[in-house]
Amino acid sequence: MDYQKILEEIHQEVLPLLDKGKVADYIPELANVDASKFGIHLLTLEDNAYSVGDVHEKFSIQSISKVFMLALTISHLGEKVYERVDVEPSGDPFNSLVQLEHECGIPRNPFINSGALVITDMMISSFEDPRTEFLEYVRDLVGHSEIFCNMKVAASEKQHGFKNAAMVNLMKSFGNIENDVEDVLDLYFEFCSIEMTCSELAKAFRVFANHGRGVIDTKKYITESQFKRITAIMQTCGFYDEAGEFAFRVGLPGKSGVGGGIAAILPDEYSIVTWSPGLNKKGNSLAGMKALELFTTKTGTSIF
Ligand SMILES: NC(=O)CC[C@H](N)C(=O)O
């Protein structure tokens, strides 16, 4: 299959959509990003790479880092992680508070904000230096050390992160947060502020396409059973209240972030990353979703 040609066709087809989405502005630093940016990068397990557009430009991966947070935490703590966070789709926006009270401070899943905040709390309790531990883990997954948090973005989010603060406080009132509320929030905002290029993110996600084993370093990052679980959660919960729509249109496990990135995998075959900062109403990249829908349709590759 001529993947390069297909990506070039897709690029042309999504160009008219680039100004249709809206850049996330509830984090003021993210509002400065140029909405006309677009990149798509495909990386196969045989180590063939295909790309078009701005694939070597760093962007804020935001909620996509929730996948790395979960992977690192379950690889240390195992199944007991799921005693404090459930694995059901929420059907609600990523920053929703409504279910949390009904469900006594147990978040629906690790890929919405409340779930990732509980995972952050577990990381603080489990690691001597969770910041360094996390950054080193992500650097290992990518295969080089030029991966950093953007402290301007983290600080900008902290100034306006009232809903996240409300969530941590509510969960603490139910006994599901062990550490200091401010410490949990600071670390969570830092993790969200990590910047990567499409090609770096595709390298990190390829480990998940390869059942948790690095293709280059051959290291086993997560067990087979943890791979099955993380992939299932990506499929059912990776796109907030649009997880059904993403499965319906694209048909790959994946994760989005409000920086406009989407990372997805076809197990045993490839990882694919798109970046387009304009978001739809549910907070997912508008052109990115369309590009992935076109990709799985034109190549006939999806998990279904
Ligand atoms: N969906 C996202 O990417 C949200 C992440 C963002 N840092 C927040 O907490 O709101």
Side-chain angles (χ1 to χ4, degrees):
M1 202 153 4
D2 191 345
Y3 284 129
Q4 188 58 36
K5 186 163 162 278
I6 292 172
L7 294 189
E8 279 159 22
E9 270 171 35
I10 293 172
H11 191 194
Q12 291 311 310
E13 286 175 62
V14 299
L15 280 178
L17 295 179
L18 298 187
D19 60 355
K20 299 283 185 292
K22 192 170 168 297
V23 174
D25 55 5
Y26 76 99
I27 303 174
E29 269 300 306
L30 292 185
N32 301 328
V33 178
D34 178 356
S36 68
K37 295 286 178 188
F38 178 82
I40 180 163
H41 191 93
L42 169 71
L43 185 61
T44 68
L45 292 201
E46 292 87 49
D47 213 25
N48 295 315
Y50 309 87
S51 55
V52 290
D54 306 306
V55 293
H56 299 300
E57 201 167 315
K58 298 263 191 190
F59 62 90
S60 195
I61 72 167
Q62 290 296 319
S63 273
I64 300 173
S65 66
K66 293 178 167 102
V67 177
F68 306 133
M69 291 162 61
L70 177 65
L72 173 62
T73 307
I74 54 168
S75 67
H76 275 76
L77 300 182
E79 290 291 299
K80 69 172 186 232
V81 166
Y82 300 113
E83 288 165 18
R84 290 176 56 193
V85 55
D86 211 340
V87 292
E88 292 299 332
S90 67
D92 267 331
F94 58 84
N95 56 4
S96 170
L97 275 148
V98 287
Q99 285 167 343
L100 259 189
E101 178 159 32
H102 285 301
E103 295 173 0
C104 301
I106 304 291
R108 272 290 168 113
N109 68 68
F111 291 167
I112 47 175
N113 291 12
S114 51
L117 287 159
V118 168
I119 298 286
T120 306
D121 183 59
M122 292 181 202
M123 291 167 78
I124 297 175
S125 298
S126 316
F127 301 123
E128 211 169 298
D129 182 355
R131 270 184 185 77
T132 310
E133 192 82 34
F134 184 67
L135 217 50
E136 291 303 316
Y137 184 73
V138 175
R139 287 172 178 164
D140 267 1
L141 284 172
V142 176
H144 68 78
S145 56
E146 297 299 298
I147 306 289
F148 302 99
C149 298
N150 180 330
M151 295 311 284
K152 263 171 96 177
V153 171
S156 166
E157 180 162 15
K158 187 174 166 68
Q159 275 195 334
H160 300 265
F162 304 112
K163 271 202 173 166
N164 287 320
M167 274 175 230
V168 186
N169 279 292
L170 186 59
M171 292 191 290
K172 189 149 178 101
S173 78
F174 282 110
N176 200 16
I177 293 288
E178 293 169 351
N179 297 284
D180 183 71
V181 166
E182 291 305 309
D183 291 347
V184 174
L185 286 168
D186 284 345
L187 198 59
Y188 167 79
F189 294 141
E190 277 182 45
F191 291 164
C192 289
S193 80
I194 283 189
E195 294 183 330
M196 285 194 206
T197 67
C198 290
S199 81
E200 288 165 343
L201 199 46
K203 282 200 191 103
F205 263 67
R206 185 172 60 174
V207 174
F208 300 111
N210 196 31
H211 294 238
R213 187 181 290 286
V215 172
I216 308 293
D217 64 9
T218 71
K219 199 164 129 185
K220 193 80 176 142
Y221 287 86
I222 45 173
T223 66
E224 189 61 26
S225 142
Q226 289 164 349
F227 153 75
K228 183 178 96 180
R229 296 195 188 302
I230 290 193
T231 314
I233 305 171
M234 282 197 229
Q235 181 69 42
T236 52
C237 312
F239 298 84
Y240 331 116
D241 45 341
E242 212 170 30
E245 182 79 12
F246 192 84
F248 182 77
R249 282 172 45 187
V250 181
L252 297 174
K255 184 75 198 84
S256 61
V258 292
I262 299 179
I265 56 168
L266 182 59
D268 301 312
E269 298 290 336
Y270 62 71
S271 59
I272 187 162
V273 173
T274 57
W275 174 47
S276 169
L279 308 179
N280 65 19
K281 288 204 171 63
K282 304 273 171 109
N284 293 313
S285 170
L286 191 142
M289 243 172 111
K290 184 67 190 175
L292 290 171
E293 178 181 0
L294 288 168
F295 182 79
T296 54
T297 307
K298 284 174 191 281
T299 58
T301 60
S302 93
I303 62 164
F304 303 110

